[in-house]
PDB file of all heavy atoms in Angstrom:
ATOM      1  N   GLY I   1    -164.055-126.899-241.710  1.00 98.00           N
ATOM      2  CA  GLY I   1    -162.920-126.725-242.656  1.00 98.00           C
ATOM      3  C   GLY I   1    -161.647-126.507-241.838  1.00 98.00           C
ATOM      4  O   GLY I   1    -161.658-125.827-240.806  1.00 98.00           O
ATOM      5  N   THR I   2    -160.477-126.998-242.322  1.00 97.00           N
ATOM      6  CA  THR I   2    -159.286-127.003-241.485  1.00 97.00           C
ATOM      7  C   THR I   2    -158.156-126.202-242.200  1.00 97.00           C
ATOM      8  O   THR I   2    -158.185-125.936-243.362  1.00 97.00           O
ATOM      9  CB  THR I   2    -158.743-128.397-241.266  1.00 97.00           C
ATOM     10  OG1 THR I   2    -158.325-128.987-242.518  1.00 97.00           O
ATOM     11  CG2 THR I   2    -159.823-129.265-240.621  1.00 97.00           C
ATOM     12  N   LEU I   3    -157.200-125.859-241.349  1.00 96.00           N
ATOM     13  CA  LEU I   3    -155.977-125.166-241.826  1.00 96.00           C
ATOM     14  C   LEU I   3    -155.236-125.924-242.888  1.00 96.00           C
ATOM     15  O   LEU I   3    -154.616-125.306-243.763  1.00 96.00           O
ATOM     16  CB  LEU I   3    -155.061-124.801-240.690  1.00 96.00           C
ATOM     17  CG  LEU I   3    -155.539-123.785-239.637  1.00 96.00           C
ATOM     18  CD1 LEU I   3    -154.645-123.735-238.461  1.00 96.00           C
ATOM     19  CD2 LEU I   3    -155.731-122.410-240.316  1.00 96.00           C
ATOM     20  N   ASP I   4    -155.266-127.269-242.784  1.00 96.00           N
ATOM     21  CA  ASP I   4    -154.578-128.095-243.763  1.00 96.00           C
ATOM     22  C   ASP I   4    -155.470-128.567-244.877  1.00 96.00           C
ATOM     23  O   ASP I   4    -155.245-129.539-245.546  1.00 96.00           O
ATOM     24  CB  ASP I   4    -153.862-129.299-243.078  1.00 96.00           C
ATOM     25  CG  ASP I   4    -154.759-130.135-242.270  1.00 96.00           C
ATOM     26  OD1 ASP I   4    -155.976-129.912-242.244  1.00 96.00           O
ATOM     27  OD2 ASP I   4    -154.223-131.034-241.590  1.00 96.00           O
ATOM     28  N   ALA I   5    -156.513-127.749-245.112  1.00 97.00           N
ATOM     29  CA  ALA I   5    -157.414-127.911-246.280  1.00 97.00           C
ATOM     30  C   ALA I   5    -158.081-129.241-246.371  1.00 97.00           C
ATOM     31  O   ALA I   5    -158.046-129.998-247.339  1.00 97.00           O
ATOM     32  CB  ALA I   5    -156.646-127.643-247.559  1.00 97.00           C
ATOM     33  N   ARG I   6    -158.778-129.584-245.251  1.00 98.00           N
ATOM     34  CA  ARG I   6    -159.712-130.719-245.227  1.00 98.00           C
ATOM     35  C   ARG I   6    -161.143-130.245-244.924  1.00 98.00           C
ATOM     36  O   ARG I   6    -161.262-129.247-244.204  1.00 98.00           O
ATOM     37  CB  ARG I   6    -159.261-131.798-244.189  1.00 98.00           C
ATOM     38  CG  ARG I   6    -158.042-132.577-244.582  1.00 98.00           C
ATOM     39  CD  ARG I   6    -157.649-133.545-243.465  1.00 98.00           C
ATOM     40  NE  ARG I   6    -157.082-132.780-242.388  1.00 98.00           N
ATOM     41  CZ  ARG I   6    -156.919-133.291-241.105  1.00 98.00           C
ATOM     42  NH1 ARG I   6    -157.390-134.478-240.795  1.00 98.00           N
ATOM     43  NH2 ARG I   6    -156.290-132.550-240.162  1.00 98.00           N
ATOM     44  N   LEU I   7    -162.079-130.912-245.355  1.00 98.00           N
ATOM     45  CA  LEU I   7    -163.517-130.693-245.033  1.00 98.00           C
ATOM     46  C   LEU I   7    -163.966-131.914-244.237  1.00 98.00           C
ATOM     47  O   LEU I   7    -163.833-133.080-244.788  1.00 98.00           O
ATOM     48  CB  LEU I   7    -164.363-130.482-246.271  1.00 98.00           C
ATOM     49  CG  LEU I   7    -165.778-129.966-246.023  1.00 98.00           C
ATOM     50  CD1 LEU I   7    -165.749-128.579-245.433  1.00 98.00           C
ATOM     51  CD2 LEU I   7    -166.583-129.992-247.371  1.00 98.00           C
ATOM     52  N   ILE I   8    -164.349-131.789-243.008  1.00 98.00           N
ATOM     53  CA  ILE I   8    -164.540-132.892-242.059  1.00 98.00           C
ATOM     54  C   ILE I   8    -166.018-132.855-241.597  1.00 98.00           C
ATOM     55  O   ILE I   8    -166.561-131.791-241.347  1.00 98.00           O
ATOM     56  CB  ILE I   8    -163.630-132.799-240.854  1.00 98.00           C
ATOM     57  CG1 ILE I   8    -162.156-132.959-241.333  1.00 98.00           C
ATOM     58  CG2 ILE I   8    -163.963-133.835-239.800  1.00 98.00           C
ATOM     59  CD1 ILE I   8    -161.126-132.759-240.248  1.00 98.00           C
ATOM     60  N   ALA I   9    -166.644-134.039-241.509  1.00 98.00           N
ATOM     61  CA  ALA I   9    -167.999-134.165-241.010  1.00 98.00           C
ATOM     62  C   ALA I   9    -168.007-134.991-239.732  1.00 98.00           C
ATOM     63  O   ALA I   9    -167.421-136.146-239.704  1.00 98.00           O
ATOM     64  CB  ALA I   9    -168.887-134.861-242.069  1.00 98.00           C
ATOM     65  N   LEU I  10    -168.546-134.510-238.640  1.00 98.00           N
ATOM     66  CA  LEU I  10    -168.557-135.164-237.368  1.00 98.00           C
ATOM     67  C   LEU I  10    -170.023-135.350-236.903  1.00 98.00           C
ATOM     68  O   LEU I  10    -170.889-134.490-237.175  1.00 98.00           O
ATOM     69  CB  LEU I  10    -167.853-134.265-236.292  1.00 98.00           C
ATOM     70  CG  LEU I  10    -166.461-133.808-236.584  1.00 98.00           C
ATOM     71  CD1 LEU I  10    -165.977-132.838-235.538  1.00 98.00           C
ATOM     72  CD2 LEU I  10    -165.534-134.977-236.684  1.00 98.00           C
ATOM     73  N   ASP I  11    -170.235-136.477-236.192  1.00 98.00           N
ATOM     74  CA  ASP I  11    -171.533-136.704-235.612  1.00 98.00           C
ATOM     75  C   ASP I  11    -171.737-135.664-234.483  1.00 98.00           C
ATOM     76  O   ASP I  11    -170.867-135.525-233.603  1.00 98.00           O
ATOM     77  CB  ASP I  11    -171.616-138.098-235.034  1.00 98.00           C
ATOM     78  CG  ASP I  11    -172.907-138.372-234.321  1.00 98.00           C
ATOM     79  OD1 ASP I  11    -173.968-138.222-234.898  1.00 98.00           O
ATOM     80  OD2 ASP I  11    -172.845-138.687-233.077  1.00 98.00           O
ATOM     81  N   ALA I  12    -172.858-134.941-234.525  1.00 98.00           N
ATOM     82  CA  ALA I  12    -173.041-133.874-233.546  1.00 98.00           C
ATOM     83  C   ALA I  12    -173.219-134.379-232.124  1.00 98.00           C
ATOM     84  O   ALA I  12    -172.847-133.597-231.155  1.00 98.00           O
ATOM     85  CB  ALA I  12    -174.261-133.068-233.959  1.00 98.00           C
ATOM     86  N   ALA I  13    -173.639-135.538-231.917  1.00 98.00           N
ATOM     87  CA  ALA I  13    -173.891-136.086-230.598  1.00 98.00           C
ATOM     88  C   ALA I  13    -172.617-136.598-229.891  1.00 98.00           C
ATOM     89  O   ALA I  13    -172.429-136.568-228.712  1.00 98.00           O
ATOM     90  CB  ALA I  13    -174.958-137.126-230.561  1.00 98.00           C
ATOM     91  N   THR I  14    -171.657-137.150-230.734  1.00 98.00           N
ATOM     92  CA  THR I  14    -170.511-137.851-230.164  1.00 98.00           C
ATOM     93  C   THR I  14    -169.196-137.225-230.581  1.00 98.00           C
ATOM     94  O   THR I  14    -168.182-137.500-229.974  1.00 98.00           O
ATOM     95  CB  THR I  14    -170.500-139.286-230.626  1.00 98.00           C
ATOM     96  OG1 THR I  14    -170.319-139.354-232.094  1.00 98.00           O
ATOM     97  CG2 THR I  14    -171.794-140.015-230.265  1.00 98.00           C
ATOM     98  N   GLY I  15    -169.157-136.466-231.643  1.00 98.00           N
ATOM     99  CA  GLY I  15    -167.864-135.893-232.149  1.00 98.00           C
ATOM    100  C   GLY I  15    -167.132-136.862-232.999  1.00 98.00           C
ATOM    101  O   GLY I  15    -165.959-136.577-233.383  1.00 98.00           O
ATOM    102  N   GLU I  16    -167.618-138.083-233.273  1.00 98.00           N
ATOM    103  CA  GLU I  16    -166.922-139.011-234.068  1.00 98.00           C
ATOM    104  C   GLU I  16    -167.055-138.696-235.635  1.00 98.00           C
ATOM    105  O   GLU I  16    -168.144-138.279-236.037  1.00 98.00           O
ATOM    106  CB  GLU I  16    -167.520-140.423-233.825  1.00 98.00           C
ATOM    107  CG  GLU I  16    -167.317-140.952-232.409  1.00 98.00           C
ATOM    108  CD  GLU I  16    -167.858-142.300-232.187  1.00 98.00           C
ATOM    109  OE1 GLU I  16    -168.045-143.015-233.228  1.00 98.00           O
ATOM    110  OE2 GLU I  16    -168.217-142.634-231.055  1.00 98.00           O
ATOM    111  N   PRO I  17    -165.997-138.953-236.410  1.00 98.00           N
ATOM    112  CA  PRO I  17    -166.109-138.679-237.786  1.00 98.00           C
ATOM    113  C   PRO I  17    -167.197-139.500-238.484  1.00 98.00           C
ATOM    114  O   PRO I  17    -167.352-140.661-238.074  1.00 98.00           O
ATOM    115  CB  PRO I  17    -164.722-139.037-238.332  1.00 98.00           C
ATOM    116  CG  PRO I  17    -163.820-138.877-237.167  1.00 98.00           C
ATOM    117  CD  PRO I  17    -164.667-139.264-235.984  1.00 98.00           C
ATOM    118  N   CYS I  18    -167.861-138.980-239.439  1.00 98.00           N
ATOM    119  CA  CYS I  18    -168.898-139.744-240.195  1.00 98.00           C
ATOM    120  C   CYS I  18    -168.209-140.544-241.267  1.00 98.00           C
ATOM    121  O   CYS I  18    -167.670-139.942-242.276  1.00 98.00           O
ATOM    122  CB  CYS I  18    -169.914-138.703-240.778  1.00 98.00           C
ATOM    123  SG  CYS I  18    -170.785-137.794-239.570  1.00 98.00           S
ATOM    124  N   PRO I  19    -168.191-141.869-241.225  1.00 98.00           N
ATOM    125  CA  PRO I  19    -167.353-142.675-242.090  1.00 98.00           C
ATOM    126  C   PRO I  19    -167.778-142.639-243.572  1.00 98.00           C
ATOM    127  O   PRO I  19    -167.019-143.000-244.423  1.00 98.00           O
ATOM    128  CB  PRO I  19    -167.444-144.072-241.513  1.00 98.00           C
ATOM    129  CG  PRO I  19    -168.704-144.054-240.678  1.00 98.00           C
ATOM    130  CD  PRO I  19    -168.889-142.675-240.165  1.00 98.00           C
ATOM    131  N   ASP I  20    -169.046-142.270-243.762  1.00 97.00           N
ATOM    132  CA  ASP I  20    -169.545-142.291-245.162  1.00 97.00           C
ATOM    133  C   ASP I  20    -169.260-140.952-245.889  1.00 97.00           C
ATOM    134  O   ASP I  20    -169.571-140.778-247.057  1.00 97.00           O
ATOM    135  CB  ASP I  20    -171.074-142.528-245.221  1.00 97.00           C
ATOM    136  CG  ASP I  20    -171.895-141.552-244.353  1.00 97.00           C
ATOM    137  OD1 ASP I  20    -171.208-140.796-243.573  1.00 97.00           O
ATOM    138  OD2 ASP I  20    -173.073-141.604-244.411  1.00 97.00           O
ATOM    139  N   PHE I  21    -168.568-139.973-245.148  1.00 98.00           N
ATOM    140  CA  PHE I  21    -168.228-138.721-245.780  1.00 98.00           C
ATOM    141  C   PHE I  21    -166.787-138.766-246.268  1.00 98.00           C
ATOM    142  O   PHE I  21    -165.854-138.842-245.437  1.00 98.00           O
ATOM    143  CB  PHE I  21    -168.452-137.585-244.804  1.00 98.00           C
ATOM    144  CG  PHE I  21    -168.197-136.227-245.295  1.00 98.00           C
ATOM    145  CD1 PHE I  21    -169.193-135.504-246.059  1.00 98.00           C
ATOM    146  CD2 PHE I  21    -167.001-135.578-245.095  1.00 98.00           C
ATOM    147  CE1 PHE I  21    -168.939-134.250-246.522  1.00 98.00           C
ATOM    148  CE2 PHE I  21    -166.765-134.302-245.590  1.00 98.00           C
ATOM    149  CZ  PHE I  21    -167.756-133.636-246.309  1.00 98.00           C
ATOM    150  N   GLY I  22    -166.582-138.672-247.590  1.00 97.00           N
ATOM    151  CA  GLY I  22    -165.209-138.659-248.099  1.00 97.00           C
ATOM    152  C   GLY I  22    -164.428-139.902-247.701  1.00 97.00           C
ATOM    153  O   GLY I  22    -164.953-141.062-247.747  1.00 97.00           O
ATOM    154  N   ASP I  23    -163.192-139.717-247.255  1.00 97.00           N
ATOM    155  CA  ASP I  23    -162.375-140.832-246.792  1.00 97.00           C
ATOM    156  C   ASP I  23    -162.360-140.842-245.247  1.00 97.00           C
ATOM    157  O   ASP I  23    -161.560-140.129-244.624  1.00 97.00           O
ATOM    158  CB  ASP I  23    -160.944-140.642-247.337  1.00 97.00           C
ATOM    159  CG  ASP I  23    -160.040-141.787-246.999  1.00 97.00           C
ATOM    160  OD1 ASP I  23    -160.520-142.788-246.449  1.00 97.00           O
ATOM    161  OD2 ASP I  23    -158.859-141.680-247.217  1.00 97.00           O
ATOM    162  N   GLY I  24    -163.229-141.698-244.691  1.00 97.00           N
ATOM    163  CA  GLY I  24    -163.281-141.857-243.273  1.00 97.00           C
ATOM    164  C   GLY I  24    -163.707-140.596-242.514  1.00 97.00           C
ATOM    165  O   GLY I  24    -163.298-140.373-241.376  1.00 97.00           O
ATOM    166  N   GLY I  25    -164.503-139.726-243.155  1.00 97.00           N
ATOM    167  CA  GLY I  25    -165.007-138.523-242.512  1.00 97.00           C
ATOM    168  C   GLY I  25    -164.407-137.291-243.028  1.00 97.00           C
ATOM    169  O   GLY I  25    -164.723-136.137-242.521  1.00 97.00           O
ATOM    170  N   ALA I  26    -163.473-137.287-243.947  1.00 98.00           N
ATOM    171  CA  ALA I  26    -162.776-136.100-244.452  1.00 98.00           C
ATOM    172  C   ALA I  26    -162.667-136.075-246.000  1.00 98.00           C
ATOM    173  O   ALA I  26    -162.474-137.139-246.573  1.00 98.00           O
ATOM    174  CB  ALA I  26    -161.419-135.978-243.787  1.00 98.00           C
ATOM    175  N   VAL I  27    -162.710-134.892-246.525  1.00 98.00           N
ATOM    176  CA  VAL I  27    -162.438-134.657-247.962  1.00 98.00           C
ATOM    177  C   VAL I  27    -161.187-133.811-248.080  1.00 98.00           C
ATOM    178  O   VAL I  27    -161.059-132.864-247.355  1.00 98.00           O
ATOM    179  CB  VAL I  27    -163.642-133.941-248.635  1.00 98.00           C
ATOM    180  CG1 VAL I  27    -163.229-133.501-250.085  1.00 98.00           C
ATOM    181  CG2 VAL I  27    -164.865-134.819-248.660  1.00 98.00           C
ATOM    182  N   ASP I  28    -160.320-134.170-248.958  1.00 97.00           N
ATOM    183  CA  ASP I  28    -159.044-133.468-249.212  1.00 97.00           C
ATOM    184  C   ASP I  28    -159.337-132.317-250.172  1.00 97.00           C
ATOM    185  O   ASP I  28    -159.577-132.541-251.368  1.00 97.00           O
ATOM    186  CB  ASP I  28    -157.963-134.370-249.706  1.00 97.00           C
ATOM    187  CG  ASP I  28    -156.668-133.710-249.938  1.00 97.00           C
ATOM    188  OD1 ASP I  28    -156.465-132.471-249.540  1.00 97.00           O
ATOM    189  OD2 ASP I  28    -155.712-134.338-250.493  1.00 97.00           O
ATOM    190  N   LEU I  29    -159.341-131.081-249.719  1.00 97.00           N
ATOM    191  CA  LEU I  29    -159.574-129.910-250.558  1.00 97.00           C
ATOM    192  C   LEU I  29    -158.430-129.527-251.393  1.00 97.00           C
ATOM    193  O   LEU I  29    -158.592-128.631-252.302  1.00 97.00           O
ATOM    194  CB  LEU I  29    -160.036-128.736-249.675  1.00 97.00           C
ATOM    195  CG  LEU I  29    -161.305-128.902-248.839  1.00 97.00           C
ATOM    196  CD1 LEU I  29    -161.551-127.713-247.913  1.00 97.00           C
ATOM    197  CD2 LEU I  29    -162.493-129.140-249.768  1.00 97.00           C
ATOM    198  N   LYS I  30    -157.294-130.171-251.188  1.00 96.00           N
ATOM    199  CA  LYS I  30    -156.108-129.832-252.046  1.00 96.00           C
ATOM    200  C   LYS I  30    -156.251-130.536-253.446  1.00 96.00           C
ATOM    201  O   LYS I  30    -155.477-130.247-254.335  1.00 96.00           O
ATOM    202  CB  LYS I  30    -154.811-130.349-251.349  1.00 96.00           C
ATOM    203  CG  LYS I  30    -154.570-129.599-250.069  1.00 96.00           C
ATOM    204  CD  LYS I  30    -153.223-129.996-249.429  1.00 96.00           C
ATOM    205  CE  LYS I  30    -153.183-131.462-249.026  1.00 96.00           C
ATOM    206  NZ  LYS I  30    -154.150-131.733-247.886  1.00 96.00           N
TER     207      LYS I  30
END
């Protein structure tokens, strides 16, 4: 979770955003 209110999913092995999660790896919590 981020200061600018996003929820982000990353691949644990590479640190790359998971493209199937929200919009390109992030959900807008606002």
Side-chain angles (χ1 to χ4, degrees):
T2 67
L3 292 172
D4 55 7
R6 287 175 287 162
L7 193 64
I8 296 174
L10 306 173
D11 176 58
T14 66
E16 296 179 23
C18 299
D20 55 353
F21 183 82
D23 182 7
V27 169
D28 183 6
L29 297 175
K30 297 185 293 295

